[in-house]
Amino acid sequence: MQILNLLIMATLLYILFWMQKSFKSFTSRVFTGLGLGIVFGVSLQLAYGQGSNVISSTLLWTNIVGTGYVSLLRMIVIPLIMVSITSAVINAEESKNTSIAKISSIIVTFLLVTCGIAAIIATFTSLAFNLTAEGLVSSANEIARAEALEQRASSIGGTSDLISQLVSIIPTNPFKAMTGSGNNATIGVVIFSALIGMATRKIKSNNKQSFELIQNLVNASQDVVLKLVQMVLALTPFGVLSLMTKVAASSNWTEISRLGNFVVATYVALILMFLVHLLLIMLCGVSPIIFLKKSWTVLVFAFTSRTSAGAIPLNIDCQVKKLGVPNSIASMSASVGATVGQNGCGGVYPAMLAVMIATALGIEILAPIFFVKLIIVIMVASLGGAGIGGGATIAALIVLPIMGLPIELVGLLIAIEPILDQGRTALNVSGAMVAGVVTAKVVGDLDKDVYNAKKVKVV
Amino acid sequence: MAGIISDIFGWYKHLEVDKDKALELIGDDAVILDVRSGKQIKNVEPIFEENFHLEFSEFEKKFNESLEKNLFKKDDLFLVFCKSGSKGLKAVRLLRSIGVENSFNVKYGTNAWFANLDGCGT
C-alpha cells in the first residue's frame, strides 16, 4: 500500500513539474500544490483511518520534499538577512530621509501597535465565545507536557527577567547568532548587519578605497544570494504539496472538534485581525484586493509550513517584486517581523489564553487594571520574546506568570497546537508584510506602479 | 492540464515549435495569428505589431473571412499563438484539418515567450 501512495505522490510531483516546464504562473502552481496536497492527505486519512501506521510511514517519505524545502529556506535566511540589510544600509542615499534607524523604528512601532490591536481583538473574541479553561480534562500526555512547561517557565522568569531579555536582543557573539543558535539568531543578525553597514558608511569620507571595496563585495554577494533565493523559491509548489499532504493526513479531527470552540474562536480572531491588516493597507491609499492577490502565495506557505522565519525569503521577494517596497524596508520588516511583535503568536494567542484562564478563576476581564495591563504586557513580551526565540508558547509562558495566572492550560492545548499555529504563522507573516508596505508609504518610497502592475516584470 | 498526457507521449510534436524556431519562422515571413481573448491580450505586452487577431471562440469563421478579404492566402506559412499553448494547438489542428499544412503553434504560448529561462520565476 505504501508503494502505491508513494507512486501517487510521485505523480502529483510530476504534475507540478510539468506545470513549471510549461510555464504556468507561479501562483497557479502553488495553489495546485495546495489543492493536490489537501485532496491527497484527506484521501489518505479516509482510506486508512486516523493515525494508521500506513499513513505515518507514507508521510515519512513524502516529508522528504517538505522538510528538505523548509531546510533550504532556513539555510538561506541568515545570508539573505545579512547581505540585504548590510547593502541596504551601505547603499542608502545620503539625501533621503530614510535612515535605517528611522525605518526600523517605524517598523518596530507598527508591529508592536498591531500586536496590541491583535490582543484587544482576541480578548473580545474570547469573551464573545465565552471561552473558559474550566472543564478541560487533561490526559497523561498533557500532564507531562504541563510539567515540562512549568520547568521552562521557571527558567524564563517574571518581570525583572523580561527587561534583561530586551537587552539580550543584542548578540554578544554575532557568529553564534549567525549559526542560528541561542534562539535570538534572526534579530541578532539584523542588528549586527545594520551596525556593520553603518560602520562602513562612516569610513567613506576618510577611507574611500576600503569603502568601495566593501560596497562592491556586499553588492556582489547580494546578487549571488538573491539568485540562490530565487532558486529555492522556485521549489515552493513542491514544498507546499508535501507540507499540505502532511497536515491534511495527520490532523487529528476528533481532538480538534473536542476543543472546537477554541479553534473557531482563534480563527475568528485571526481573520478579524487580518481584516485590520487590509484596512491598514487601504489607509495607505492602495488596493487591499491587490495586496491579497499578491501576498497570497506567501501566506499559503506560512500556513502550510508553520515557520515565520522560513517565510522571510518569500516575504522579501514578494514585497520587493510585487508590492513595490524598497529592498531596505522589505528586508528589515520581514526579518524583524518574523520575531518582534508577531500578531498571531505574540498577540492573539497569549491574549486568548489569558482570558480563558482568568475567566475560570473568576477575574473581571474588562476591569481596566487587568485589561490594560494585559495588553501592555503582551506588547512588551512580544518584543522581549524575540530575545529568547519567539513562538506562541513562549509568548504565553512570559505573559501568563506576569499576569499572575497559572500556565497549565498551555499544555492542555497541545493536541490542537498545529492547526492553531498555522493560522497564527500566516497572520505573523501578513503583519510583517503590511509593516513593510505601511513603512514604505510613510517614508514615501512605495512604488505604486509596481504595486498596481498586473504582471511581474521579468528580470 | 490535459496537455500533460500528450506532452509525455509527444502526440503533437510535429504541430508545435519552440521560441527559437518560431523566431526563425517569423524571419521567413510567417503570418502570425493571435487567438487569445481581448482581455488576455491587454494583460500582456504585445509580441509583434503585425499580427491578425482571430479570437479562438470564432477562429474558423474569422479565418475564412480573412481569406475572402485576401489578407493572407491558404498556402502561406502560419504561426499561431495563445496564452498557454493549448488553444493555439487546437487552432493549428483545425487549420491542418482544412488543408493548411504550413501552420505551427508556439509551444506554451506567451507564457513561454516572457518566462525567464533559468527556471526561477516566482
Side-chain angles (χ1 to χ4, degrees):
Chain A
M1 290 323 274
Q2 198 186 329
I3 305 285
L4 177 73
N5 296 340
L6 293 181
L7 277 177
I8 296 174
M9 187 66 182
T11 317
L12 297 182
L13 286 172
Y14 184 78
I15 291 177
L16 288 177
F17 174 68
W18 174 81
M19 286 181 77
Q20 181 174 17
K21 209 171 55 122
S22 60
F23 306 104
K24 295 281 184 289
S25 80
F26 183 70
T27 317
S28 65
R29 282 185 281 133
V30 171
F31 275 92
T32 312
L34 183 74
L36 292 175
I38 293 175
V39 173
F40 184 47
V42 170
S43 18
L44 278 181
Q45 233 185 70
L46 291 178
Y48 303 107
Q50 156 73 41
S52 98
N53 286 334
V54 184
I55 292 186
S56 45
S57 53
T58 307
L59 287 182
L60 219 54
W61 289 94
T62 59
N63 279 350
I64 294 175
V65 181
T67 326
Y69 168 67
V70 173
S71 306
L72 280 172
L73 278 172
R74 290 177 161 274
M75 172 187 87
I76 56 177
V77 166
I78 298 290
L80 176 64
I81 296 176
M82 276 198 74
V83 296
S84 359
I85 293 199
T86 318
S87 90
V89 177
I90 292 180
N91 295 328
E93 283 170 48
E94 308 260 356
S95 55
K96 279 195 179 167
N97 57 349
T98 53
S99 70
I100 203 81
K102 187 179 174 189
I103 291 175
S104 44
S105 48
I106 296 176
I107 290 173
V108 171
T109 317
F110 177 88
L111 287 168
L112 290 183
V113 170
T114 48
C115 185
I117 298 175
I120 294 173
I121 288 181
T123 309
F124 283 104
T125 320
S126 349
L127 287 175
F129 274 79
N130 275 326
L131 291 184
T132 170
E134 258 176 7
L136 286 176
V137 270
S138 32
S139 63
N141 190 5
E142 286 149 350
I143 291 169
R145 168 86 172 159
E147 275 166 9
L149 287 174
E150 292 271 13
Q151 282 179 356
R152 186 90 197 255
S154 61
S155 70
I156 293 170
T159 323
S160 60
D161 277 359
L162 188 59
I163 294 160
S164 61
Q165 278 154 20
L166 285 177
V167 180
S168 74
I169 287 177
I170 300 169
T172 43
N173 182 348
F175 297 101
K176 196 176 160 199
M178 282 174 216
T179 62
S181 67
N183 287 329
N184 60 349
T186 354
I187 201 80
V189 174
V190 169
I191 292 171
F192 182 66
S193 313
L195 289 175
I196 290 279
M198 279 151 97
T200 313
R201 279 176 74 104
K202 283 190 194 296
I203 63 169
K204 191 176 183 180
S205 46
N206 292 336
N207 202 339
K208 206 159 174 39
Q209 221 177 356
S210 302
F211 171 79
E212 275 165 5
L213 180 69
I214 299 288
Q215 189 179 31
N216 290 337
L217 176 75
V218 170
N219 288 349
S221 6
Q222 193 185 19
D223 292 341
V224 175
V225 172
L226 287 183
K227 197 76 218 169
L228 183 61
V229 170
Q230 278 190 351
M231 283 161 62
V232 176
L233 292 191
L235 303 173
T236 308
F238 305 102
V240 167
L241 167 68
S242 161
L243 292 167
M244 199 62 219
T245 305
K246 180 184 165 199
V247 169
S250 60
S251 285
N252 188 341
W253 294 107
T254 44
E255 282 290 339
I256 291 171
S257 57
R258 189 169 68 87
L259 294 163
N261 207 10
F262 186 70
V263 176
V264 174
T266 306
Y267 272 85
V268 168
L270 292 174
I271 290 169
L272 284 176
M273 190 56 210
F274 186 62
L275 292 178
V276 171
H277 285 168
L278 293 181
L279 191 72
L280 289 167
I281 291 285
M282 221 152 82
L283 290 179
C284 288
V286 286
S287 153
I289 310 274
I290 295 182
F291 176 81
L292 198 59
K293 271 186 186 164
K294 292 190 169 179
S295 65
W296 205 231
T297 45
V298 187
L299 298 183
V300 163
F301 167 74
F303 185 84
T304 48
S305 70
R306 292 170 54 195
T307 150
S308 297
I312 292 176
L314 263 171
N315 192 340
I316 297 180
D317 187 74
C318 175
Q319 284 193 47
V320 173
K321 283 199 203 138
K322 299 181 183 167
L323 298 175
V325 177
N327 195 10
S328 54
I329 297 177
S331 43
M332 201 72 187
S333 69
S335 42
V336 172
T339 37
V340 172
Q342 295 178 323
N343 285 192
C345 292
V348 172
Y349 189 67
M352 296 197 95
L353 285 185
V355 172
M356 277 175 83
I357 299 169
T359 313
L361 295 177
I363 298 172
E364 183 68 46
I365 312 285
L366 289 177
I369 185 144
F370 183 85
F371 183 68
V372 175
K373 187 183 173 196
L374 177 66
I375 304 300
I376 291 174
V377 167
I378 284 176
M379 284 167 69
V380 177
S382 79
L383 184 62
I388 50 165
T393 313
I394 299 293
L397 290 184
I398 300 174
V399 171
L400 294 179
I402 299 180
M403 296 303 296
L405 299 169
I407 58 162
E408 286 82 10
L409 186 73
V410 185
L412 286 181
L413 297 171
I414 181 177
I416 51 167
E417 182 61 20
I419 190 163
L420 297 179
D421 200 32
Q422 290 183 313
R424 291 192 310 241
T425 312
L427 191 72
N428 295 343
V429 173
S430 160
M433 291 174 98
V434 176
V437 175
V438 169
T439 309
K441 176 70 188 176
V442 169
V443 299
D445 270 352
L446 187 66
D447 191 338
K448 284 199 181 170
D449 291 339
V450 177
Y451 188 96
N452 291 321
K454 286 215 173 97
K455 209 176 155 291
V456 180
K457 228 182 156 66
V458 176
V459 255
Chain B
M1 284 311 282
I4 188 166
I5 308 288
S6 61
D7 257 18
I8 293 174
F9 295 105
W11 287 336
Y12 303 119
K13 236 178 174 172
H14 56 293
L15 300 179
E16 300 192 297
V17 291
D18 59 8
K19 189 176 174 179
D20 290 340
K21 180 76 177 155
L23 287 170
E24 206 176 285
L25 293 182
I26 290 163
D28 297 343
D29 287 333
V31 178
I32 301 169
L33 304 181
D34 185 348
V35 299
R36 291 175 295 168
S37 68
K39 198 179 154 202
Q40 284 176 329
I41 293 182
K42 243 191 280 166
N43 282 346
V44 185
E45 46 204 294
I47 295 193
F48 292 104
E49 291 295 319
E50 284 177 43
N51 62 41
F52 295 94
H53 178 212
L54 313 177
E55 196 167 328
F56 183 72
S57 50
E58 36 189 15
F59 177 72
E60 195 170 5
K61 191 179 126 217
K62 279 198 169 180
F63 185 78
N64 288 329
E65 276 174 14
S66 311
L67 280 180
E68 279 165 23
K69 285 187 212 157
N70 268 328
L71 294 175
F72 42 69
K73 295 191 295 294
K74 219 173 173 178
D75 51 1
D76 278 343
L77 174 61
F78 290 99
L79 190 65
V80 185
F81 70 88
C82 64
K83 185 166 181 290
S84 71
S86 66
K87 279 180 186 168
L89 182 61
K90 283 180 193 152
V92 167
R93 284 165 67 193
L94 199 135
L95 285 178
R96 295 273 175 126
S97 73
I98 59 172
V100 183
E101 287 306 320
N102 261 331
S103 53
F104 298 95
N105 173 39
V106 179
K107 191 159 180 149
Y108 305 137
T110 53
N111 280 350
W113 207 272
F114 291 116
N116 58 351
L117 293 170
D118 58 6
C120 299
T122 51

